[in-house]
Amino acid sequence: DAGVIQSPRHEVTEMGQEVTLRCKPISGHDYLFWYRQTMMRGLELLIYFNNNVPIDDSGMPEDRFSAKMPNASFSTLKIQPSEPRDSAVYFCASSPESDTQYFGPGTRLTVL
Amino acid sequence: SQQGEEDPQALSIQEGENATMNCSYKTSINNLQWYRQNSGRGLVHLILIRSNEREKHSGRLRVTLDTSKKSSSLLITASRAADTASYFCATARMDTGRRALTFGSGTRLQVQP
């Protein structure tokens, strides 16, 4: 298996622009997680899905952030409008029924 | 607030030495996991220990869990330069039934060749 795939790997955008991050989980995994990592706040859970259904979005910072999982093999995290404080590395992870999570390589987002 | 806090924040050792990292947490847990992150990469799962276990081994890794003290330790024996990375503990809470993990702030390990 190719592992969790994220795109793009790097994104540089200007404040106010819409940003869409994409994730393809490992086939057969029922859970998908979106995390954000910054130096100041460490690794934070934003939202997670079970069988394509959002279960917990309490970590989504504000209404500018939205996440979807239209099918078992694809998820998006959208920020609209983006702000400089959104600059971070965004990780997607997937998990089978066990508790182990498998992380993607991350998307490094820079908002100017 | 961070559920898990690692100690020390940074550790520098020589190749061949053992490295010990500690993690403390605040709530009742279902399990505790350790992950490694190489610079600029995603996290990689190392080992999971359940709340009813006290010690677990995997290769050069040894993990202990003390639920009475709400703490865990990760020991890497005979360290190698390739072990240079950040190490994070992560807890799965028992009370909410959530599958999501709460990560600590990490320990940066530098193994000098």
Side-chain angles (χ1 to χ4, degrees):
Chain A
D1 202 318
V4 175
I5 299 172
Q6 290 187 248
S7 65
R9 293 294 310 277
H10 302 273
E11 177 81 32
V12 180
T13 190
E14 293 190 345
M15 183 174 62
Q17 296 299 305
E18 177 180 294
V19 175
T20 300
L21 310 181
R22 298 173 176 81
C23 175
K24 177 179 169 55
I26 294 173
S27 177
H29 284 192
D30 296 326
Y31 292 86
L32 183 138
F33 306 83
W34 282 100
Y35 292 91
R36 177 173 67 176
Q37 186 176 37
T38 62
M39 289 294 292
M40 290 297 296
R41 300 178 64 88
L43 199 64
E44 302 174 285
L45 174 72
L46 299 177
I47 185 171
Y48 81 94
F49 296 82
N50 179 212
N51 292 322
N52 313 339
V53 176
I55 302 301
D56 185 348
D57 65 354
S58 59
M60 296 286 263
E62 45 196 280
D63 292 345
R64 298 184 296 106
F65 286 69
S66 63
K68 295 181 179 179
M69 192 165 186
N71 58 62
S73 59
F74 184 65
S75 177
T76 60
L77 178 67
K78 186 174 294 187
I79 308 172
Q80 166 63 14
S82 58
E83 297 182 3
R85 60 194 169 116
D86 301 330
S87 296
V89 181
Y90 291 81
F91 288 103
C92 175
S94 68
S95 175
E97 275 301 315
S98 71
D99 294 303
T100 301
Q101 294 188 18
Y102 297 81
F103 281 74
T107 294
R108 182 174 295 277
L109 173 65
T110 303
V111 183
L112 303 174
Chain B
S1 64
Q2 293 278 8
Q3 164 73 326
E5 296 293 338
E6 282 90 343
D7 166 50
Q9 290 187 336
L11 180 62
S12 182
I13 60 174
Q14 295 293 123
E15 210 166 23
E17 294 181 338
N18 296 341
T20 299
M21 289 160 267
N22 303 298
C23 167
S24 60
Y25 57 91
K26 297 176 182 175
T27 64
S28 296
I29 61 171
N30 181 280
N31 66 70
L32 185 144
Q33 304 177 39
W34 285 90
Y35 287 78
R36 183 187 74 218
Q37 184 179 33
N38 290 86
S39 180
R41 309 288 285 271
L43 280 75
V44 175
H45 179 263
L46 295 176
I47 195 166
L48 179 153
I49 185 166
R50 301 203 178 275
S51 59
N52 61 353
E53 297 176 308
R54 292 297 169 258
E55 187 171 312
K56 203 162 184 179
H57 297 255
S58 177
R60 294 185 295 113
L61 305 180
R62 172 178 170 253
V63 170
T64 62
L65 179 63
D66 187 334
T67 53
S68 66
K69 295 181 179 178
K70 291 185 166 57
S71 68
S72 173
S73 68
L74 171 68
L75 169 67
I76 304 174
T77 60
S79 63
R80 305 167 182 168
D83 295 329
T84 294
S86 291
Y87 291 81
F88 295 87
C89 70
T91 51
R93 290 176 59 165
M94 179 182 288
D95 55 346
T96 63
R98 293 167 74 232
R99 287 297 300 272
L101 297 176
T102 303
F103 284 83
S105 51
T107 293
R108 292 188 310 278
L109 173 65
Q110 176 77 40
V111 180
Q112 306 285 354

